Amino acid sequence: MIINSKRKSAPRFNFERDEMIELIRQRGISDERLLKAMSLVDRRGFVQQALLNRAYDDCALPIGHSQTISQPYTVAFMTEMLAVKPGDKVLEIGTGSGYQAAILAEMGARVYTVERNMDLLNVSRKRFESLGYQIVSKCGDGTIGWKDFAPYDSIIVTAGAPETPQPLLDQLKDGGILVIPIGDMDIQNIHIIRRIKNEFETKEAHGFKFVPLIGKKGWK
Ligand code: SAM
């Protein structure tokens, strides 16, 4: 089922959505453009119908094929770290439900997204189309990036990797930011990597849990 974010939602859902935004704000997210985008993109349109009542819970939810839509706080944290400006060219690895890509598009970014599972990508494409987001997508192995449109102002990886794939560093602009969870299969730290010419400066945020990034430069 596709729920258009522009459509008015029932008061109960407005209340739950406002509560989700307030919780994210209380956890330290302060970028008002991001919080506005998260209140405009209706997460109910990106979850399975049986889970509609849990769409605004601050947790990851299954989307099929053993994959998940990420926890709203995690989406907010990673997006804030990207420091996206309108018009920025952003590459996302791991389209999943399409929610993260929609938030970036709502913030005015030009979004390119890669997903390895064709079924998930097809569902996301329908969502983008119905919501009017001009998001460019392809099915493939995102661990090698997407050279055709490089370099990117920022890159976000929404699955956990054993190490940072070199092609993603290579496809970042000077001054660009890569946000990627790195760790083992159970727990990861989010690495926030800024490229300064050919040097890379890394900050880390601890204790996140993602599904694995599977591919040539990820988990086998
Ligand atoms: N960003 C998504 C959202 O907003 O719903 C959440 C993504 S889910 C946590 C991780 C996704 O990464 C899964 O859909 C999985 O199939 C995908 N994935 C894993 N390895 C990948 C790879 N090498 N290239 C592209 N996608 C990959």
Side-chain angles (χ1 to χ4, degrees):
M1 177 167 64
I2 295 188
I3 296 172
N4 194 309
S5 70
K6 272 73 183 179
R7 203 179 75 182
K8 274 205 163 141
S9 46
R12 181 190 141 202
F13 288 118
N14 285 340
F15 176 72
E16 289 181 2
R17 183 203 55 206
D18 292 349
E19 273 197 331
M20 178 188 87
I21 301 293
E22 192 45 39
L23 185 82
I24 290 168
R25 199 190 286 279
Q26 279 169 15
R27 291 191 67 182
I29 304 299
S30 58
D31 179 341
E32 290 301 331
R33 286 177 45 248
L34 163 61
L35 292 165
K36 173 110 191 282
M38 290 191 73
S39 67
L40 287 173
V41 179
D42 189 346
R43 195 167 182 256
R44 288 182 305 143
F46 296 82
V47 302
Q48 294 176 332
Q49 196 165 4
L51 296 170
L52 275 181
N53 284 346
R54 300 189 54 203
Y56 290 122
D57 289 359
D58 191 29
C59 64
L61 293 171
I63 55 172
H65 301 275
S66 308
Q67 304 304 321
T68 55
I69 176 172
S70 302
Q71 178 184 0
Y73 170 73
T74 304
V75 171
F77 177 78
M78 293 180 91
T79 311
E80 190 164 67
M81 291 302 108
L82 286 180
V84 175
K85 298 182 297 303
D88 275 3
K89 200 200 292 179
V90 181
L91 175 65
E92 179 197 29
I93 308 302
T95 318
S97 69
Y99 180 67
Q100 172 73 71
I103 299 282
L104 292 165
E106 189 68 47
M107 292 177 78
R110 289 173 291 149
V111 185
Y112 297 81
T113 183
V114 183
E115 169 57 55
R116 69 187 288 274
N117 183 301
M118 193 68 223
D119 292 339
L120 290 176
L121 187 60
N122 281 335
V123 174
S124 291
R125 281 179 171 163
K126 287 199 188 106
R127 288 175 176 146
F128 299 151
E129 201 187 325
S130 103
L131 296 171
Y133 293 121
Q134 306 283 318
I135 291 170
V136 186
S137 62
K138 76 162 180 179
C139 186
D141 177 6
T143 66
I144 56 167
W146 195 351
K147 225 174 168 182
D148 299 358
F149 299 102
Y152 300 94
D153 294 289
S154 54
I155 302 178
I156 177 169
V157 182
T158 63
E163 58 187 20
T164 309
Q166 185 62 40
L168 300 184
L169 295 171
D170 296 341
Q171 291 173 26
L172 207 52
K173 269 189 193 166
D174 182 18
I177 298 174
L178 165 63
V179 176
I180 178 167
I182 304 282
D184 58 29
M185 289 273 194
D186 294 323
I187 193 149
Q188 302 89 31
N189 294 337
I190 292 180
H191 288 213
I192 302 120
I193 306 169
R194 181 186 288 276
R195 178 173 194 162
I196 304 152
K197 298 208 163 58
N198 283 330
E199 304 279 308
F200 295 91
E201 208 173 68
T202 304
K203 288 190 291 183
E204 276 184 51
H206 296 258
F208 291 83
K209 180 157 181 58
F210 285 82
V211 295
L213 181 75
I214 296 165
K216 201 170 165 204
K217 307 278 177 186
W219 295 102
K220 303 300 169 215

